[in-house]
Amino acid sequence: MADIVLDKVTKAFPDGTLAVQEFNLEIADGEFVILVGPSGCGKSTTLNMIAGLEDISSGELRIDGQRVNDKAPRDRDIAMVFQSYALYPNMTVRENMAFPLKLAKLSREEIDRKVDEAAKVLELTALLDRKPANLSGGQRQRVAMGRAIVRSPKAFLMDEPLSNLDAKLRVQMRTVVSRLQKRLGTTTVYVTHDQTEAMTLGDRVVIMRAGAIQQVGEPQELYDHPNNLFVAGFIGSPSMNFLPATVSDGSLHTSLGDFPLGERLRSRLADVSGDLIVGIRPEHFEDASLIEDSIRQRGAEFEATADLVESMGSDKYVYFTVEGEKASAAELEELAADAGSGDLPSSGSNLVCRFSAESRVKEGDTARIWVNLDKIHLFDPSNGRNVTLHEGRSSGVSA
Amino acid sequence: MTGAKWRWGFLDLVVIVFALIPVLWIASLSFKTPATITDGDFIPREWTLENYRNIFNTDQFVRALVNSIGIGLISTLVAVVLGTMAAYAIARLDFPGKKLLIGISLLIAMFPQVSLVSPLFEIERSIGLFDTWPGLILPYITFGLPLAIYTLSAFFRQIPWDLEKAAKMDGATQGEAFRRVIAPLAAPGVFTTAILVFIFCWNDFLFAISLTSTERSRTVPAALSFFQGASQFEDPTGAISAAAVIITIPIILFVLFFQRRIVSGLTSGAVKG
Ligand SMILES: Nc1ncnc2c1ncn2[C@@H]1O[C@H](COP(=O)(O)OP(=O)(O)OP(=O)(O)O)[C@@H](O)[C@H]1O
Ligand SMILES: [Mg+2]
C-alpha cells in the first residue's frame, strides 16, 4: 500500500500529441480515485504512465515518496486490470492467477495458498482449472481482478474494467470492485467513462479534459459546486440545463423569463457583466402547483409546454423546448460531441426537468414551472468559469 | 441452395481428381515390375517393392535424401529463427526503416529466381561455395526468410498487445513476457511457417540442379534427374517413381500432423469474446 504523487506529469507523444499536461495529483494511501473524462482526454495515458507502460515526458511520479519515473513496471509493484482483461489464453485460471507469484519466485505452497484465497474472495474456486476461453465475460473479469489482487501490490490501476460487460453485470461487478477495494484498503486508480461508476465508486473524482485536470473532489462536491461549464455539464445524468442569460438592473434575463437576483448571486456578480450562461440541474425545477408557500419565494416561476413526459415511478422527467438562442461555449460543444448529440437538429434549447411523481403534467400541457434560484449556477461563456462559486473555490483550478 | 452445393461439390471433385491422378499414377508406376511398367494399366498387374529396394540400395538416392533433409532443416531453422525476431519487431515496434524492410522482403519474395541462377553460379564457383551445403542453404534462406517474415508477422499481429503489457505488470521482464506469454501463443504460427519454408526448400529444383555438380550436395529433386536405375541398361522409370513417392511422404505427414495445431483457435479467450 502506498501513496502516489503525480507532480506536473506531462506526456508528449513522438508525433507531437500532448496527451497529458502538467497533471498534479496526490493520491493518499488507500484512497480510491476515479479518472473520468470524454474519449481521448488522456485517462489511459495517465494510467499507463503510473503503471510504467508509457514513459513520462516531464514531471515526476512518486510512489511511497520514491521517484519511479525510470523504473520498469515490474519494479513498481503495481497491478493493473485491463479493459480487455488480457488473460493468458494458454493458461488455466489457476495458472493465470499464479503467474505474477511465479515470477516473484514464491514457493509452491505459498502460491497455492494465495491463489486459493483470492479465488475464494472472488468466487472463482470452481473455475480454477478452466481456460479463459470457457468463461463468461463476468468470470473473465473476476479472473483479471484475481490476478491483480493475489500478490497484494502497492496499488491497483484499472482501465475501464467493466466497460465490456453488459449493463446488469456491470452493476453487479461495481459492487464487487467497491467491496474488494474497501476490504483490501489498497490505493486504487480507476479510469472510467461511466457517470455512475464515477459517482458511486470513488473517494475522489478527477475530471479531465484534453489532457488537463478540470476539477478534483468528492463526487458530491463536483456535483454541487462544479468549477466550470465542462464539469457542470459532464457530471450528472440527465445533465445540467444550459441557457444564455444576461444581467442588468438586478435581475437575470433568460429565455425562461426574468428572474430576480438574490443575495447570493448579487454579491458574486459585482464584477461580472455581459453575456452569461445559466446552468440549472433537472431536479431544481418543480411543478409549481406542488411547491409549498414557505419555499416558493426562494425561486421563480415560468410557463412552458411539455413535449414529452417520462414517468419513472419515483419521479417524472418532463422535456420542454425553450425558444430563443442556445447557450454556446466551446465546452458545451465538446460535451455534446462526446455524448454524440452534437448535431441533433433542434430549434431553441431543450430543457429537462425532474418533477415529483405527484405532478399531473401531461404531454402537450402548458405547465407552470418553479425553479429554485438558490441552486442555479452562472458561467462565464468566454472561459467557462463558474462565477457563482465563492472566490476561494473557483480559484483552485482554472479552466 | 442444395443445387449450388452439388455444383460446388462436383467442381471440387473435378479439381481433386485432376490433382491426384498424376500422384496416384506415379505411385502405381513405382509398384510395377520393369516388364509391366509400360502396360498403361492404372492398377499394377504385378506388385513389387523392387523399385524401392533398388533406390535404397544405391548410394545416389540415400545420399540425396540425407542432403535434402539436412539442407532443408538447416535452412528452415535459420529462416524461422531470424524471421520470428524480424516479424516480432515489425508487429510490435515502430522503428525507422520498417516500411523499407517490409518492401525489400516483399521484393525478394517476388524476385524471379531464374534470373539469379547464372550470377549465383559464378559467385559460388569463385568463392568456393559451389556444390556445398552452404551453397544451397544460403539461397534457400534468402527466399525462405521473406516468406517467414510475412507469415509470422500476420500471426504476431493477432496476439493482443495487452497480453504483453499484462505480463510486464505481473512482473515479467521483456524476455520473460516473450518466452512465457507470447511464444506459446505464436507456436502454431511458427509451425505453419516452418512447414511452408521447409516445403519450399524440399521442393526446389532450380537451385538444386544449377548449384550442385556431385552427390556431395545434390538434393533429391536434382538427383532424380540423374537416375540411371540399378544398372546402366535398365529403364529408370520405376526407380524415379519410387523416389518421387518417397519424397512426397514427409510433406504429407507434416501437413496431416500439424493441420490440427495450425487451424486450432489461436488466441481464443484472451480478450473479450
Ligand atoms: N501512441 C500514441 N501516439 C500518439 N498519440 C497518442 C498515442 N496514444 C494515444 N494518443 C493520443 O493521446 C490522447 C489521449 O489518449 P488516451 O488513450 O489516454 O485517451 P483516453 O482518455 O483513455 O480515451 P478513451 O476514453 O477513448 O479510452 C488521444 O488524443 C490519443 O489520440
Ligand atoms: Mg482509454
Side-chain angles (χ1 to χ4, degrees):
Chain A
M1 273 176 256
D3 59 327
I4 301 173
V5 176
L6 293 104
D7 187 2
K8 296 213 179 108
V9 168
T10 297
K11 175 75 193 184
F13 281 107
D15 66 355
T17 315
L18 204 55
V20 178
Q21 313 171 32
E22 306 234 326
F23 194 100
N24 286 313
L25 186 66
E26 295 189 9
I27 303 167
D29 187 9
E31 198 177 10
F32 197 149
V33 166
I34 310 268
L35 299 184
V36 271
S39 196
C41 71
K43 306 180 296 284
S44 299
T45 309
T46 308
L47 206 67
N48 287 340
M49 283 193 290
I50 301 176
L53 295 171
E54 291 277 7
D55 293 331
I56 295 170
S57 308
S58 71
E60 197 169 82
L61 172 69
R62 292 189 292 274
I63 298 178
D64 254 349
Q66 265 193 330
R67 183 190 149 96
V68 295
N69 284 38
D70 305 316
K71 282 198 175 173
R74 66 202 214 92
D75 299 323
R76 298 190 187 190
D77 192 18
I78 286 178
M80 188 154 171
V81 178
F82 294 83
Q83 178 176 4
S84 63
Y85 315 143
L87 302 180
Y88 311 122
N90 52 325
M91 304 184 195
T92 62
V93 170
R94 176 183 287 284
E95 288 164 340
N96 261 282
M97 287 173 39
F99 188 67
L101 302 175
K102 265 189 206 149
L103 290 171
K105 307 234 165 20
L106 263 59
S107 70
R108 266 203 79 94
E109 301 82 62
E110 206 167 345
I111 292 177
D112 283 346
R113 188 176 56 75
K114 290 194 172 199
V115 169
D116 287 336
E117 202 178 321
K120 213 159 92 199
V121 172
L122 288 162
E123 294 170 27
L124 288 169
T125 312
L127 307 173
L128 280 175
D129 295 319
R130 295 228 199 135
K131 288 272 176 74
N134 306 327
L135 298 176
S136 73
Q139 290 167 338
R140 283 179 205 177
Q141 218 290 325
R142 294 212 300 272
V143 176
M145 304 272 303
R147 197 173 58 186
I149 67 171
V150 274
R151 68 194 164 105
S152 322
K154 284 185 181 163
F156 295 136
L157 306 178
M158 307 193 187
D159 192 350
E160 310 202 21
L162 308 184
S163 61
N164 276 343
L165 301 177
D166 59 49
K168 203 171 152 196
L169 209 52
R170 204 179 308 165
V171 175
Q172 211 176 320
M173 281 307 295
R174 207 167 66 211
T175 58
V176 172
V177 171
S178 177
R179 263 194 234 122
L180 201 63
Q181 201 273 343
K182 291 223 169 59
R183 173 178 170 156
L184 300 171
T186 308
T187 316
T188 304
V189 184
Y190 186 107
V191 166
T192 182
H193 232 103
D194 186 285
Q195 281 277 330
T196 330
E197 283 173 30
M199 293 300 282
T200 56
L201 277 176
D203 298 322
R204 277 196 302 161
V205 177
V206 179
I207 300 192
M208 293 180 69
R209 171 189 171 212
I213 294 184
Q214 296 296 298
Q215 192 170 357
V216 183
E218 287 166 19
Q220 197 63 46
E221 161 97 3
L222 297 184
Y223 190 83
D224 292 337
H225 306 289
N227 258 340
N228 57 37
L229 261 181
F230 186 83
V231 175
F234 191 81
I235 293 284
S237 171
S239 59
M240 195 183 263
N241 298 290
F242 295 106
L243 297 164
T246 54
V247 175
S248 63
D249 311 329
S251 62
L252 185 68
H253 309 286
T254 73
S255 41
L256 300 178
D258 293 351
F259 301 141
L261 282 175
E263 194 62 18
R264 180 182 75 110
L265 296 175
R266 209 170 306 147
S267 64
R268 297 197 191 121
L269 287 174
D271 54 342
V272 179
S273 60
D275 292 337
L276 289 171
I277 290 175
V278 56
I280 314 171
R281 294 226 179 259
E283 64 270 30
H284 297 140
F285 293 102
E286 186 51 279
D287 188 336
S289 64
L290 300 173
I291 293 295
E292 286 167 32
D293 287 336
S294 57
I295 60 166
R296 193 180 291 271
Q297 86 282 355
R298 281 197 221 154
E301 287 175 27
F302 63 96
E303 277 185 353
T305 308
D307 294 333
L308 181 68
V309 177
E310 286 175 352
S311 183
M312 312 298 277
S314 55
D315 36 34
K316 284 196 166 89
Y317 286 108
V318 188
Y319 297 78
F320 300 97
T321 307
V322 180
E323 295 305 325
E325 256 181 277
K326 273 191 185 184
S328 75
E331 287 87 349
L332 295 181
E333 271 161 38
E334 206 173 305
L335 286 168
D338 190 53
S341 61
D343 38 28
L344 275 185
S346 67
S347 68
S349 326
N350 290 311
L351 201 64
V352 186
C353 302
R354 202 176 90 196
F355 289 174
S356 52
E358 296 92 75
S359 168
R360 296 267 161 264
V361 175
K362 286 192 295 296
E363 274 162 43
D365 284 359
T366 299
R368 213 168 158 71
I369 306 156
W370 176 84
V371 52
N372 186 346
L373 292 179
D374 277 355
K375 300 284 188 176
I376 67 173
H377 297 274
L378 293 171
F379 300 92
D380 183 342
S382 63
N383 58 17
R385 269 185 45 184
N386 186 345
V387 297
T388 31
L389 286 185
H390 56 74
E391 281 311 306
R393 218 181 321 248
S394 62
S395 65
V397 184
S398 65
Chain B
M1 198 61 216
T2 46
K5 232 183 216 167
W6 279 108
R7 264 202 304 283
W8 278 112
F10 179 71
L11 216 65
D12 290 346
L13 198 71
V14 169
V15 171
I16 289 171
V17 166
F18 184 77
L20 279 186
I21 290 274
V23 178
L24 294 175
W25 188 250
I26 281 276
S28 149
L29 284 181
S30 73
F31 289 111
K32 287 180 178 175
T33 56
T36 58
I37 203 142
T38 51
D39 64 2
D41 284 356
F42 192 73
I43 297 174
R45 265 179 295 168
E46 290 174 54
W47 290 80
T48 172
L49 288 176
E50 195 57 28
N51 292 319
Y52 289 91
R53 229 169 275 135
N54 282 342
I55 59 167
F56 277 107
N57 281 335
T58 62
D59 237 15
Q60 210 183 0
F61 180 74
V62 177
R63 182 66 219 199
L65 204 58
V66 170
N67 287 341
S68 261
I69 293 171
I71 291 173
L73 285 182
I74 294 173
S75 311
T76 305
L77 187 75
V78 176
V80 168
V81 168
L82 294 181
T84 305
M85 295 195 256
Y88 187 63
I90 285 172
R92 282 291 185 261
L93 304 175
D94 252 326
F95 53 90
K98 179 167 145 177
K99 286 250 167 65
L100 192 72
L101 178 69
I102 299 174
I104 288 179
S105 64
L106 189 64
L107 189 75
I108 293 173
M110 300 287 155
F111 206 85
Q113 299 173 359
V114 70
S115 62
L116 281 179
V117 165
S118 326
L120 269 179
F121 177 74
E122 292 300 334
I123 292 170
E124 295 206 345
R125 275 220 314 194
S126 60
I127 61 174
L129 281 178
F130 182 74
D131 198 26
T132 61
W133 276 26
L136 275 183
I137 290 174
L138 277 177
Y140 286 170
I141 292 175
T142 310
F143 284 97
L145 195 54
L147 184 69
I149 292 177
Y150 257 81
T151 353
L152 280 167
S153 57
F155 270 94
F156 278 126
R157 260 192 288 266
Q158 282 180 43
I159 299 176
W161 219 157
D162 274 355
L163 288 182
E164 210 172 319
K165 291 191 196 166
K168 281 192 197 167
M169 293 306 299
D170 283 346
T173 60
Q174 181 81 46
E176 282 170 327
F178 182 79
R179 221 175 50 244
R180 304 183 67 155
V181 173
I182 304 301
L185 295 179
V190 174
F191 278 122
T192 314
T193 309
I195 291 168
L196 289 177
V197 174
F198 186 79
I199 291 176
F200 160 74
C201 303
W202 187 257
N203 284 347
D204 173 74
F205 177 71
L206 183 67
F207 289 126
I209 196 77
S210 12
L211 300 179
T212 59
S213 60
T214 65
E215 283 176 13
R216 198 147 72 105
S217 58
R218 205 176 266 151
T219 58
V220 178
L224 281 186
S225 65
F226 286 92
F227 256 36
Q228 305 289 314
S231 74
Q232 278 226 324
F233 307 100
E234 217 175 289
D235 173 21
T237 308
I240 290 176
S241 309
V245 170
I246 293 289
I247 65 164
T248 315
I249 288 170
I251 303 286
I252 293 175
L253 286 183
F254 253 156
V255 172
L256 287 184
F257 187 66
F258 287 117
Q259 196 180 29
R260 272 278 170 74
R261 303 202 64 139
I262 294 167
V263 295
S264 71
L266 180 57
T267 59
S268 58
V271 295
K272 183 206 179 218

